[in-house]
């Protein structure tokens, strides 16, 4: 429990810096917060989560990009609320879509970060983010046997992300 508390405190200290560095904050012409269209899903190095630590490096970036390219491109990557569409057994509530993501990319210099780009929020999800009803997101992924992030499944809007190093959307 001491380790979890230490990580949480470390996370809280880094939130402001991570948010600044991740580029998730956007402001409209009137200064109001708007839902971001680019989101850093994984940073380079260890990504600490409540389910363990997972590596995102050049090998992981290559694995994720190859898996993304191999998917059915007629269907964009989708997101939901609280990972409802991935629940086992399925949640008996609607697994409403929050966004579609037609593109992912590595960081601007080709380094080992993963970004969702051209995020197309639904009207409801956009309004909930801008009203600060949902502050965080949580990426769902498949790790390799050696602990690398190997495939992105989707990402969900949540207020309790499993990842400790996630920057707030707003």
């Amino acid at each position: 429990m001491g380790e979890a508390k230490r990580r949480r405190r470390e996370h809280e200290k880094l939130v402001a810096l991570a948010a600044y560095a991740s580029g998730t904050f956007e402001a409209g012409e009137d200064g109001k917060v708007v839902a971001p269209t680019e989101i850093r899903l994984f940073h380079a190095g260890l990504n600490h989560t409540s389910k363990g630590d997972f590596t995102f490096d050049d090998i992981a970036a290559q694995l994720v990009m190859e898996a993304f390219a191999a998917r059915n491109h007629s269907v964009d990557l989708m997101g939901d609320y609280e990972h409802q569409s991935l629940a086992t057994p399925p949640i008996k509530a609607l697994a409403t879509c929050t966004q579609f993501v037609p593109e992912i990319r590595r960081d601007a210099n080709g380094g080992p970060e993963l970004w969702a780009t051209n995020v197309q929020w639904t009207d409801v999800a956009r309004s909930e983010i801008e009203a600060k009803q949902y502050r965080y997101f949580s990426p769902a992924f498949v790790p390799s046997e050696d602990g690398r992030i190997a495939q992105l499944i989707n990402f969900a809007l949540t207020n309790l992300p499993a990842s400790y190093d996630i920057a707030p959307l707003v």
Side-chain angles (χ1 to χ4, degrees), residues 19 30 37 81-82 85 89 98 121 123 131 142 144 147 153-154 160-161 164:
D30 57 3
T37 58
Y81 293 100
E82 311 294 345
S85 63
T98 59
W121 299 104
D123 291 340
V142 177
S144 64
I153 297 171
N154 75 358
L160 188 60
Y164 297 133

Side-chain angles (χ1 to χ4, degrees), residues 14-155:
L14 294 175
V15 163
L17 177 60
Y20 177 78
S22 70
T24 58
F25 291 100
E26 295 183 21
E29 291 178 16
D30 57 3
K32 289 177 60 177
V33 173
V34 296
T37 58
E38 291 198 348
I39 300 166
R40 184 179 62 192
L41 301 174
F42 303 111
H43 60 80
L46 281 181
N47 287 261
H48 305 290
T49 78
S50 62
K51 300 173 189 319
D53 295 343
F54 299 94
T55 301
F56 198 82
D57 58 7
D58 285 324
I59 295 169
Q62 181 177 347
L63 291 170
V64 170
M65 297 303 286
E66 287 173 358
F68 188 81
R71 15 176 322 120
N72 178 355
H73 285 289
S74 65
V75 178
D76 292 332
L77 184 73
M78 65 79 68
D80 60 11
Y81 293 100
E82 311 294 345
H83 296 298
Q84 289 179 353
S85 63
L86 305 177
T88 304
I91 294 174
K92 292 187 179 185
L94 294 176
T96 303
C97 178
T98 59
Q99 79 275 346
F100 287 101
V101 181
E103 304 166 358
I104 61 172
R105 68 167 170 81
R106 294 175 75 164
D107 81 355
N109 298 316
E113 289 186 344
L114 186 70
W115 288 74
T117 59
N118 194 23
V119 177
Q120 300 164 7
W121 299 104
T122 63
D123 291 340
V124 172
R126 177 181 286 106
S127 68
E128 289 173 333
I129 292 166
E130 292 172 358
K132 301 178 184 174
Q133 292 172 319
Y134 276 94
R135 188 167 184 212
Y136 294 99
F137 63 93
S138 178
F141 59 93
V142 177
S144 64
E145 288 184 17
D146 61 358
R148 283 188 170 90
I149 297 165
Q151 180 182 0
L152 177 64
I153 297 171
N154 75 358
F155 66 95

